[in-house]
């Protein structure tokens, strides 16, 4: 699952860390990772839903193929905008707490680095509207995700989508993100 540069034709997506995530870890058998895999007890993807909110957590996940020597822990939070606005408005939040790898073997990486690193952002799938965190698909994106922020809290990235437009945090006006496309 090598990440492509946004925009991606006809494919809407929210990508907190589009990379070669592999939750099989040490349970993989065979050199290509195509063997039988057990259900993980850690190294997994967990989700929680409630009215108006969805939280997905990638918990200590490794990278393809079957590597868990380096791990990532990150989260996607999508929340309905509950105010007197337009139906369909929502907030997107990415949170990162452990950032140790950038690339899996399928993306020409070696030892979690090199090749094509992760893409971080989201894409409306209309070939026009997208947000790509500065440094996506470049060496160092894992540290940017964990140490950077657009709201002043390391590892936290927030976006408001109002009437189909991405707004800058706390500004209320549509604008491009500094250093982003």
């Amino acid at each position: 699952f090598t990440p492509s540069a946004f925009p991606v034709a006809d494919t809407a997506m929210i990508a907190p860390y589009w990379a070669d995530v592999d939750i099989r870890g040490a349970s993989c058998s065979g050199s290509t990772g195509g063997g039988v895999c057990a259900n993980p007890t850690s190294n997994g993807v967990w989700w929680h839903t409630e009215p108006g909110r969805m939280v997905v957590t990638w918990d200590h996940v490794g990278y393809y193929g079957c590597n868990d020597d380096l791990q990532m822990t990150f989260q996607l939070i999508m929340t309905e905008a509950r105010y007197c606005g337009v139906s369909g408005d929502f907030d997107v939040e990415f949170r990162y707490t452990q950032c140790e790898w950038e690339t899996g073997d399928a993306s020409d990486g070696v030892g979690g680095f090199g090749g094509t690193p992760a893409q971080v952002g989201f894409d409306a799938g209309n070939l026009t509207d997208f947000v790509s965190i500065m440094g996506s698909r470049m060496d160092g994106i894992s540290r940017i995700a964990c140490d950077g922020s657009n709201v002043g809290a390391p590892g936290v990235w927030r976006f408001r989508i109002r009437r189909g437009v991405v707004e800058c945090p706390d500004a209320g006006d549509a604008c491009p993100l500094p250093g982003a496309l």
Side-chain angles (χ1 to χ4, degrees), residues 139-161:
D139 294 342
I141 186 58
S142 64
R143 294 306 341 143
I144 291 169
C146 253
D147 300 336
S149 176
N150 66 343
V151 294
V156 178
W157 300 81
R158 291 187 189 124
F159 306 93
R160 298 182 337 175
I161 292 73

Side-chain angles (χ1 to χ4, degrees), residues 76-152:
L76 163 67
I77 303 169
M78 291 185 6
T79 307
E80 175 185 21
R82 294 183 181 176
Y83 70 105
C84 296
V86 176
S87 176
D89 288 353
F90 64 101
D91 299 323
V92 173
E93 183 172 322
F94 300 153
R95 291 182 164 262
Y96 305 87
T97 60
Q98 181 179 18
C99 301
E100 297 180 349
W101 63 268
E102 299 178 353
T103 312
D105 301 346
S107 298
D108 298 323
V110 175
F113 294 91
T116 305
Q119 169 80 42
V120 177
F122 47 93
D123 185 348
N126 61 8
L127 295 176
T128 304
D129 301 310
F130 63 96
V131 172
S132 180
I133 302 298
M134 188 171 108
S136 286
R137 299 182 71 238
M138 298 175 65
D139 294 342
I141 186 58
S142 64
R143 294 306 341 143
I144 291 169
C146 253
D147 300 336
S149 176
N150 66 343
V151 294

